[in-house]
Amino acid sequence: MENRTHAEVLILIACILGSLAIAPFTVYRFLIGDYVMAAIDVVLCAVTFGLFAYVWITRKHKLAGGVICMIYLAAAVGVVFVKGPTAIYWAYPATVGCFCVVNTRLALILSGGTIATLFVIVFGQVPLEQLLGIFSALTLLCGFSYVFNDSVHRQRRLLSTLAARDALTGTWNRRALDESLIQTTSSNKRSPLTASLIILDLDHFKNINDTYGHDVGDKILIGISEVIRESIRLSDRLFRYGGEEFVVIADGANLENAAVLAESIRRKVEKSQLFKKEKITISLGVASLKEGQNPECWIKLADEALYEAKRTGRNKFCLAKKNDCAEEEVILGA
């Protein structure tokens, strides 16, 4: 399960635990002649196994999570309806389990509906004090589960964001870039789309670091990232590729559009006066996404165009036009 998402693993574990919990009761009920409940248990085990297989093969978990919650909650209600209030304990793991496999809002709705249904079924069958105790405990359990699960999800989202951000500039980092490249190229293979990639590198940045120190270099990198953010569209994504290199993925931009964007970034950096002692300039390489292209090829084309821009004078951009990574054709820009 190493390569599976957290949500997939939770669904698969829920299916396994559900089957292990139900199987012994299935055997026992057949042995004592309780065939109605045994048949229900068999159906539950079969459906649970089917959901496990579905998630394992397709890796789709959203629908499966909702289905398994509704099945286990319905089973808890059914057992209480058949066996009476003494089987109410099955509602506890069923309601808590919902908060583990679906989003907190849906879990709250499903568990709340289950508690209300159980209250109607059990009402009048047990003393009022016991009834209030059971459903107060169930309500508190769901409330605590909601608060805990919501807090965990918030923390996970925050940690995911922090893990995908560059600590210095606040841009998306190399890890986020790799994921975005895979996502964009995979979508392009399913249905052709328009996108371009721009790699930019600060000219003579090593000399600045060596002469004025890394603190000055860091401030320049932060300033460059801010200038780029102001130059790109809201739909564009900015990443720090490493060191003094940045990458922009421009969704919906063909090569000509990306060239205009690259020149706009270059001009704004040149005029920005980020460092008064020396003029700061950048070189850029631009490559549009081709049909069937993989992430490595796409970024290699842009990187080759960047190298050409540096080789032919710096403070300029180059457009790489290729159908694959084997061919070489570079068109110089302003």
Side-chain angles (χ1 to χ4, degrees):
M1 294 189 183
E2 291 182 0
N3 296 324
R4 296 185 178 274
T5 65
H6 180 70
E8 287 179 62
V9 172
L10 285 177
I11 297 294
L12 293 173
I13 291 175
C15 291
I16 294 171
L17 293 177
S19 298
L20 291 176
I22 295 169
F25 289 94
T26 306
V27 176
Y28 173 75
R29 282 163 180 159
F30 265 118
L31 292 175
I32 65 173
D34 190 355
Y35 298 118
V36 174
M37 289 303 303
I40 293 174
D41 290 341
V42 169
V43 171
L44 285 174
C45 285
V47 173
T48 302
F49 177 78
L51 287 171
F52 180 93
Y54 172 78
V55 175
W56 185 270
I57 295 170
T58 66
R59 306 196 67 167
K60 297 178 180 179
H61 58 83
K62 290 185 178 180
L63 177 62
V67 171
I68 197 170
C69 281
M70 288 187 286
I71 288 173
Y72 284 155
L73 290 173
V77 171
V79 169
V80 173
F81 182 79
V82 174
K83 292 292 185 178
T86 55
I88 196 74
Y89 52 83
W90 283 112
Y92 291 91
T95 51
V96 172
C98 284
F99 290 93
C100 297
V101 296
V102 296
N103 64 72
T104 51
R105 184 178 179 182
L106 179 59
L108 192 63
I109 293 171
L110 292 175
S111 58
T114 300
I115 292 173
T117 304
L118 288 171
F119 185 86
V120 173
I121 294 173
V122 175
F123 186 78
Q125 298 185 44
V126 295
L128 181 59
E129 183 179 354
Q130 186 179 355
L131 181 70
L132 292 175
I134 291 171
F135 286 95
S136 293
L138 272 172
T139 302
L140 287 171
L141 186 65
C142 289
F144 288 135
S145 297
Y146 175 85
V147 172
F148 176 78
N149 200 46
D150 185 63
S151 176
V152 168
H153 279 293
R154 288 176 184 273
Q155 290 296 324
R156 288 186 69 242
R157 285 195 295 269
L158 177 60
L159 289 174
S160 296
T161 300
L162 291 174
R165 291 285 185 181
D166 176 61
L168 177 65
T169 63
T171 62
W172 298 110
N173 61 19
R174 178 65 182 270
R175 174 187 173 187
L177 172 62
D178 291 340
E179 292 176 354
S180 293
L181 288 172
I182 292 171
Q183 182 180 9
T184 303
T185 53
S186 297
S187 299
N188 184 53
K189 289 178 181 178
R190 292 192 298 269
S191 178
L193 52 83
T194 302
S196 292
L197 188 146
I198 302 171
I199 297 183
L200 61 95
D201 183 83
L202 276 75
D203 297 328
H204 306 296
F205 186 70
K206 185 178 184 301
N207 294 338
I208 294 175
N209 266 337
D210 293 343
T211 304
Y212 302 102
H214 289 279
D215 288 345
V216 172
D218 288 347
K219 290 178 181 178
I220 292 173
L221 289 174
I222 294 170
I224 286 286
S225 66
E226 292 174 352
V227 172
I228 299 171
R229 282 195 192 95
E230 293 172 358
S231 304
I232 61 178
R233 306 166 301 174
L234 291 176
S235 59
D236 299 331
R237 290 162 285 169
L238 173 62
F239 308 84
R240 187 179 179 191
Y241 190 37
E244 65 271 24
E245 286 189 313
F246 293 86
V247 170
V248 174
I249 296 180
D251 291 325
N254 58 25
L255 196 64
E256 290 72 23
N257 299 142
V260 173
L261 179 59
E263 173 59 16
S264 174
I265 295 171
R266 186 202 65 79
R267 191 185 305 114
K268 287 183 179 180
V269 170
E270 185 180 27
K271 296 179 179 180
S272 62
Q273 296 182 340
L274 290 170
F275 189 45
K276 294 182 179 180
K277 294 183 179 181
E278 289 193 23
K279 184 178 181 181
I280 303 298
T281 62
I282 58 173
S283 300
L284 308 95
V286 186
S288 60
L289 182 61
K290 303 297 182 182
E291 185 177 352
Q293 215 164 46
N294 59 38
E296 294 79 13
C297 180
W298 190 19
I299 203 163
K300 180 182 178 182
L301 295 178
D303 199 45
E304 289 174 352
L306 170 63
Y307 173 78
E308 188 68 12
K310 285 187 168 293
R311 188 184 67 83
T312 55
R314 303 178 190 271
N315 191 23
K316 67 198 310 181
F317 70 87
C318 287
L319 304 181
K321 285 192 174 182
K322 303 178 184 180
N323 291 326
D324 55 53
C325 293
E327 302 174 8
E328 292 193 1
E329 177 189 354
V330 178
I331 299 178
L332 299 185

